[in-house]
Amino acid sequence: MPIITGAKVVVTCPGRNFVTLKIETDQGIYGLGDATLNGRELAVASYLQDHVIPCLVGRDAHRIEDIWQFLYRGAYWRRGPVTMSAIAAVDTALWDIKAKIAGLPLYQLLGGASRQGVMVYGHANGADIDATIDSARDYQQQGYRAIRLQSGVPGLASAYGVSKDKYFYEPADGDLPRENQWSTERYLRSVPELFERARGVLGNDVHLLHDAHHRLSPIEAGRLGRDLEPYRPFWLEDPTPAENQAGFRIIRQHTTTPIAVGEVFNSIWDCKQLIEEQLIDYIRTTVVHAGGITHLRRIADFAALHDVRTGCHGATDLSPVCMGAALHFDLSVPNFGVQEYMRHTPETDAVFPHAYSFADGYLHPGEEPGIGVDIDEAAAAKYPYRRAYLPVNRLEDGTMFNW
């Protein structure tokens, strides 16, 4: 039985901040877990270093379920993004260790492959509709079968999802939060035009997605979903803030556009009503923010009972450690839908060498034992932590709003 002898937290910033937990055992085998919480990274690093790691030393690394329950039930202050991201890091690292000891890629321990590869979607964006369409055509030529469309909104200086770089999008870009301006009315006029143009140029054989980023009321989301129906979107993501899960009933009453939500969820309780009442079609909880592979599998199994599929968050605020773990989960889970994929910078890839690969619109986690992702600590040390905040939003009259 492998005994945990120690653990350390590695914080590095090869273009953006990542928090990685490395758990070591008496057998010389270590495991990695992602603990990154965008804009609040040091809170999780402290939670791990000061409160979790002392409780791990001396425990049997194979007892993944027991350790998960210890960290969740034993903390008394349950759930929340900081706690669940810390638990996720431990859980992922332990699964990495278990699979390495077994000499198998992690997906084999999760029941084996349910498919040949994991369909992913890329992010096409631009300052205006023409630029977004050009970006989408580029992704289509690269073999992507699913593409998210985000475009600048006429009359607004900036818009969510529109990056300065063609491929690498990092919204946490200020030492203090940058303030953006928002107009729902302008936005609702622009998105249907974007989809009409995209479907006409890209054809019917590519899935088209869009992220509203929690900025609409339920009735506004219902209107947008209805307006997009002629263009058959794969999903409308995060149409409204989900704290009030019952609000999604209004969206369902007004549109047949599939709905995806959940990247900010951190437990099964956040999505219980949404899944039970079939108010969503895709659940976007992810390994790092929803308690690791152990808890994510519970969410996926619960979702499967209600014909809800997975669509895990996969932006660059997740390190390659999380992406590797997510791909093993995706490959194995029977009710998989799609995986978000934003490529990391070359600097990040150098810090986190990995076995996963992209071909013909699909990612595969590879066949290396464990999750197939490592960390070069010497390279990580070259990129010290740099404080970075996500932006905030104000309406045109100055009222604070959802970012």
Side-chain angles (χ1 to χ4, degrees):
M1 105 182 137
I3 301 299
I4 298 172
T5 56
K8 64 171 123 176
V9 179
V10 180
V11 181
T12 183
C13 187
R16 70 146 346 270
N17 294 312
F18 297 110
V19 180
T20 306
L21 177 68
K22 183 177 183 179
I23 296 180
E24 299 166 327
T25 70
D26 62 351
Q27 295 186 9
I29 295 176
Y30 62 85
L32 300 179
D34 186 12
T36 307
L37 184 61
N38 199 355
R40 297 293 186 270
E41 297 90 355
L42 296 186
V44 187
S46 174
Y47 192 102
L48 286 167
Q49 191 66 54
D50 299 327
H51 305 291
V52 172
I53 290 176
C55 299
L56 296 178
V57 176
R59 294 183 181 273
D60 179 359
H62 274 327
R63 297 186 62 178
I64 298 175
E65 181 66 41
D66 182 68
I67 291 174
W68 196 97
Q69 297 294 337
F70 176 87
L71 295 174
Y72 181 82
R73 294 177 184 269
Y76 186 67
W77 306 106
R78 297 182 185 178
R79 301 191 298 280
V82 174
T83 295
M84 297 304 282
S85 295
I87 292 175
V90 174
D91 186 78
T92 304
L94 295 180
W95 277 108
D96 192 22
I97 290 169
K98 185 181 284 288
K100 286 176 179 175
I101 290 174
L104 293 170
L106 175 58
Y107 75 84
Q108 294 290 11
L109 298 190
L110 303 179
S114 291
R115 55 198 49 83
Q116 299 301 313
V118 174
M119 185 175 75
V120 298
Y121 67 88
H123 286 212
N125 65 89
D128 54 31
I129 290 176
D130 287 339
T132 300
I133 299 301
D134 287 343
S135 177
R137 293 179 68 179
D138 180 36
Y139 275 100
Q140 189 176 39
Q141 290 167 3
Q142 293 178 50
Y144 282 82
R145 300 164 183 265
I147 303 169
R148 194 185 83 166
L149 303 174
Q150 307 291 143
S151 181
V153 177
L156 298 182
S158 64
Y160 167 75
V162 178
S163 62
K164 298 175 183 177
D165 187 280
K166 184 177 180 180
Y167 295 120
F168 308 113
Y169 176 56
E170 178 45 61
D173 60 357
D175 185 59
L176 290 174
R178 176 169 49 87
E179 296 193 3
N180 292 336
Q181 191 178 65
W182 177 253
S183 166
T184 300
E185 294 78 14
R186 296 176 190 270
Y187 166 78
L188 288 176
R189 289 196 296 267
S190 68
V191 178
E193 182 182 353
L194 169 64
F195 267 71
E196 180 182 22
R197 289 275 307 280
R199 188 57 79 191
V201 171
L202 303 174
N204 294 320
D205 294 332
V206 61
H207 299 299
L208 301 180
L209 302 81
H210 180 72
D211 184 0
H213 220 246
H214 319 277
R215 299 184 183 195
L216 305 177
S217 69
I219 196 65
E220 289 168 343
R223 182 193 309 162
L224 178 59
R226 185 188 61 201
D227 288 346
L228 294 180
E229 284 176 11
Y231 316 114
R232 300 173 303 284
F234 186 88
W235 76 31
L236 175 61
E237 177 186 341
D238 291 343
T240 193
E243 289 92 340
N244 178 18
Q245 297 184 34
F248 282 72
R249 293 174 184 160
I250 296 174
I251 303 175
R252 277 291 202 228
Q253 292 167 4
H254 292 278
T255 183
T256 59
T257 290
I259 301 300
V261 75
E263 71 180 59
V264 300
F265 293 172
N266 53 75
S267 84
I268 198 168
W269 303 105
D270 296 318
C271 51
K272 182 175 181 289
Q273 182 180 4
L274 292 173
I275 291 173
E276 280 182 332
E277 297 187 21
Q278 295 179 291
L279 300 178
I280 59 173
D281 303 279
Y282 296 91
I283 180 65
R284 287 185 35 75
T285 46
T286 191
V287 173
V288 65
H289 298 144
I293 293 166
T294 294
H295 195 60
L296 193 59
R297 292 177 78 195
R298 289 199 175 96
I299 294 173
D301 286 342
F302 180 57
L305 297 177
H306 300 85
D307 294 318
V308 173
R309 292 188 285 176
T310 67
C312 293
H313 177 61
T316 48
D317 60 329
L318 314 181
S319 86
V321 172
C322 183
M323 178 57 72
L327 292 173
H328 286 278
F329 166 82
D330 294 335
L331 197 67
S332 65
V333 68
N335 56 320
F336 169 77
V338 72
Q339 170 67 55
E340 181 179 20
Y341 174 52
M342 290 185 71
R343 66 194 77 184
H344 290 99
T345 64
E347 293 81 6
T348 297
D349 288 337
V351 171
F352 298 97
H354 53 265
Y356 60 79
S357 59
F358 173 85
D360 195 28
Y362 298 94
L363 279 173
H364 194 283
E367 299 297 332
E368 290 187 9
I371 62 174
V373 182
D374 207 345
I375 185 169
D376 184 333
E377 294 186 58
K382 298 177 182 178
Y383 304 102
Y385 169 81
R386 185 175 69 247
R387 188 173 68 189
Y389 284 89
L390 292 166
V392 297
N393 256 354
R394 291 186 183 273
L395 299 180
E396 291 180 298
D397 68 359
T399 304
M400 282 298 302
F401 198 62
N402 304 308
W403 185 83

